[in-house]
Amino acid sequence: MNTFISVMSAILLVLAAFDVIRRKKENDKLRSIITDSINTSSDIKKTLAMGLYYRFKKATPEEANQTVSSLFIRQDPLEFELFVMNVIEGYYGGTVYISPPSDEGINLEHDREDGLYIGQVKCLEKDLGFEAIAILHSQMIKKDAKGGYIVTTGDFTDKAKTYADELNIELINGTQLVEYWILGLEEKNIKISSIKSTPELA
């Protein structure tokens, strides 16, 4: 009787293991399809970037009183800083801090292996000009930062791109932010999967 129970238990364990493997393969395949679709579709990235703008933009009094779908997420520009902090940390690694509110034009401080990076975060519907880059560059010099970045839900003007070209300032527009967000989530999922699949030490 004990042998029968042991055999049945072993069979059930094997079946359960096969089911876990099958589900994991299905999830990996679905994740791969979604990632590939997003990576190859400019329209999807632009739509997600626009969605981020409407999620985090400062609501007008009229918009604040509007009833919207329970599926929608509404947050404010300060929460956008926290969102970007997590995206940047997930994509680049290191440790990112939100700077105290000030007029210095810095929202994020990012400690990486090669030094300090500072960043500005802008929830905008229009393309950003070069003025913000000039402010960030002066703060980079003041803080002896290795580099900097400006993140916006929109894009950058041609003058802004030219101005930032040789200043070691990365311009991250809305679609790039979406890419970094997705890649960071993928990396996080891979790490979680590897931890779960590591056999426990006896």
Side-chain angles (χ1 to χ4, degrees):
M1 185 68 176
N2 287 340
T3 305
F4 175 76
I5 292 172
S6 297
V7 170
M8 290 302 295
S9 297
I11 290 171
L12 289 173
L13 283 173
V14 169
L15 290 174
F18 276 121
D19 187 55
V20 168
I21 292 168
R22 179 184 63 79
R23 287 173 187 262
K24 185 180 182 310
K25 284 182 178 177
E26 287 176 358
N27 289 338
D28 288 345
K29 184 177 180 182
L30 180 60
R31 189 181 297 121
S32 176
I33 289 168
I34 292 170
T35 303
D36 289 346
S37 297
I38 289 172
N39 287 340
T40 55
S41 174
S42 174
D43 285 350
I44 291 176
K45 291 177 192 173
K46 288 177 179 178
T47 301
L48 290 172
M50 183 174 68
L52 287 177
Y53 166 71
Y54 282 104
R55 172 179 172 178
F56 291 106
K57 81 181 191 78
K58 186 174 181 179
T60 64
E62 294 80 17
E63 289 170 335
N65 294 323
Q66 286 177 351
T67 302
V68 297
S69 171
S70 59
L71 291 177
F72 296 170
I73 303 172
R74 271 190 172 170
Q75 294 175 281
D76 61 44
L78 291 177
E79 291 172 293
F80 184 52
E81 292 179 10
L82 181 61
F83 174 82
V84 173
M85 179 192 83
N86 289 324
V87 169
I88 293 294
E89 199 169 79
Y91 184 76
Y92 284 108
T95 305
V96 183
Y97 305 93
I98 294 178
S99 301
S102 70
D103 295 326
E104 294 182 342
I106 297 173
N107 303 114
L108 304 176
E109 296 187 23
H110 187 182
D111 288 326
R112 298 193 210 173
E113 286 185 9
D114 61 335
L116 173 68
Y117 288 74
I118 58 176
Q120 274 189 26
V121 176
K122 306 281 187 184
C123 184
L124 300 174
E125 62 181 336
K126 296 181 179 179
D127 293 345
L128 190 64
F130 69 89
E131 295 86 353
I133 298 163
I135 293 169
L136 182 66
H137 185 244
S138 68
Q139 290 301 318
M140 283 169 56
I141 294 169
K142 183 178 176 181
K143 292 182 176 288
D144 195 27
K146 182 84 175 179
Y149 45 80
I150 298 180
V151 182
T152 179
T153 46
D155 202 354
F156 298 90
T157 64
D158 290 339
K159 284 184 179 179
K161 292 173 185 175
T162 302
Y163 190 79
D165 199 30
E166 295 180 0
L167 299 177
N168 202 24
I169 294 175
E170 183 181 6
L171 303 182
I172 302 171
N173 66 18
T175 56
Q176 288 168 302
L177 178 60
V178 166
E179 287 176 13
Y180 290 4
W181 182 24
I182 292 165
L183 290 171
L185 290 173
E186 282 294 307
E187 185 65 27
K188 189 176 181 180
N189 286 334
I190 289 168
K191 286 179 182 176
I192 290 171
S193 297
S194 66
I195 289 169
K196 286 183 177 178
S197 62
T198 303
E200 291 184 11
L201 297 174

